[in-house]
Amino acid sequence: LLPYVQFCASTVIQEALARTLPRADEPYEGYDSYYEYLNSKYRRKRDLLGRALTEAGFAIQDYNATPGGGFFIFARITPELRAAIPPERLEAPFARNPAAPGGVARLDWALCQWMAEEKGVLCIPSSPFFSTERALEGASDEFIRVAFCKEDETIERAAAALMGLRATAGEECHDDEMDATVVAGGEVVLNGSD
């Protein structure tokens, strides 16, 4: 039922939206329209998380030069971050994962699992967004996916947790102060919250 609720609005909801849409063209919160407000709000959130990812050592696209899409950032795993992953994370038993393409957890999975277990930050590996063949060829190895459709405070806490990656690159560290998590699908959740 969930896919139909998310993507197929009922007739009543469609009618309500049709009647409401003209209001979105009116001034809102100091902007010329609700659309301009949303555009500004999500660009700010994208830039906030993008800066945090860059400062943590990830590479992201230049949104001033190329278009972005949705509420997600596809961040590239740089050689600096790859070097921070303990080598055993790319070997058995860590490399065996039935959820990964071909049952093998490659770099994207290894980084996401290591960050979850050792740094308190979870992101989604990029390989589910590639065909199995391309993932097995390594096309998805260097990327993770992170969402920025969250409250600013949540993004700021995730940014602080991400900074721990660069601060401890190449070192094992258990930081009890990290209180943000980026979960599967790229969602940011505060540890200890519902």
Side-chain angles (χ1 to χ4, degrees), residues 59-80:
I60 64 167
Q61 69 186 43
D62 177 358
Y63 290 103
N64 293 318
T66 59
F71 301 107
F72 305 97
I73 295 175
F74 234 45
R76 183 181 296 274
I77 303 166
T78 60
E80 175 186 20

Side-chain angles (χ1 to χ4, degrees), residues 20-165:
T20 304
L21 281 176
R23 293 198 61 201
D25 290 322
E26 298 172 5
Y28 184 83
E29 299 281 324
Y31 292 86
D32 289 338
S33 71
Y34 182 69
Y35 301 116
E36 286 186 25
Y37 162 79
L38 280 180
N39 186 303
S40 176
K41 176 181 177 177
Y42 285 105
R43 281 179 188 266
R44 186 177 40 73
K45 290 176 181 292
R46 178 202 64 200
D47 293 346
L48 177 63
L49 184 58
R51 273 191 306 275
L53 288 165
T54 301
E55 289 172 9
F58 289 94
I60 64 167
Q61 69 186 43
D62 177 358
Y63 290 103
N64 293 318
T66 59
F71 301 107
F72 305 97
I73 295 175
F74 234 45
R76 183 181 296 274
I77 303 166
T78 60
E80 175 186 20
L81 288 176
R82 181 186 171 99
I85 304 170
E88 64 271 11
R89 291 293 183 151
L90 295 165
E91 302 167 357
F94 293 109
R96 287 192 296 268
N97 186 327
V104 177
R106 300 172 66 94
L107 178 60
D108 59 331
W109 284 77
L111 178 66
C112 289
Q113 184 175 355
W114 174 69
M115 288 192 325
E117 293 174 358
E118 301 296 333
K119 305 299 181 185
V121 178
L122 287 91
C123 298
I124 190 167
S126 64
S127 52
F129 303 98
F130 288 75
S131 69
T132 301
E133 295 78 22
R134 293 289 291 144
L136 292 174
E137 291 170 2
S140 61
D141 285 5
E142 297 180 357
F143 299 95
I144 61 167
R145 183 179 181 221
V146 188
F148 56 84
C149 50
K150 304 295 167 193
E151 295 294 326
D152 290 347
E153 297 80 15
T154 304
I155 295 172
E156 289 166 3
R157 288 184 175 169
L162 286 167
M163 287 308 300
L165 294 176

Side-chain angles (χ1 to χ4, degrees), residues 56 79 172 188:
E172 281 297 310
V188 180

